[in-house]
Amino acid sequence: SGVEIARLKVHCDARGAVFEPLEPQLLAGWRNVHTVITEPGAVRGNHAHLRGTEISAVAGPALVRYREDATVRDAEVPGGEVWRFRFPPGVAHAFK
């Protein structure tokens, strides 16, 4: 299957924001979970995994670029929103 994108619910108040990047049923079977904070304008990723699926929760504003087959696609995550991306094996992806 291809890339899956889902908008996550973000709970905000005066202290900040909180969201759940994975529902409990998605947690089972994952070997690692990590958080990456990228400075404005920097690019992370620009890679693909041969066997593993990567799930990334991206807080906007951000640009997510990925390549499925020979097609390059851009997803603009708006400021104040968090979107979850599921990249299957072989799909190159990068975050800015």
Side-chain angles (χ1 to χ4, degrees):
S1 65
V3 173
E4 296 173 11
I5 303 172
R7 182 178 172 193
L8 300 179
K9 184 165 180 65
V10 180
H11 303 277
C12 297
D13 63 23
R15 300 168 295 172
V18 65
F19 63 90
E20 294 185 27
L22 295 174
E23 292 90 354
Q25 67 272 19
L26 292 176
L27 286 171
W30 290 101
R31 291 185 308 154
N32 72 51
V33 176
H34 58 274
T35 300
V36 177
I37 299 171
T38 302
E39 294 297 323
V43 175
R44 292 236 189 220
N46 203 19
H47 66 273
H49 305 276
L50 296 177
R51 293 183 298 271
T53 296
E54 180 173 320
I55 296 180
S56 298
V58 178
L63 169 68
V64 178
R65 179 168 286 163
Y66 57 96
R67 185 180 66 239
E68 285 185 290
D69 301 316
T71 304
V72 174
R73 293 186 165 83
D74 287 343
E76 296 272 350
V77 181
E81 293 188 12
V82 179
W83 294 6
R84 181 177 56 226
F85 293 80
R86 180 188 169 278
F87 300 106
V91 174
H93 50 280
F95 310 93
K96 181 176 183 182

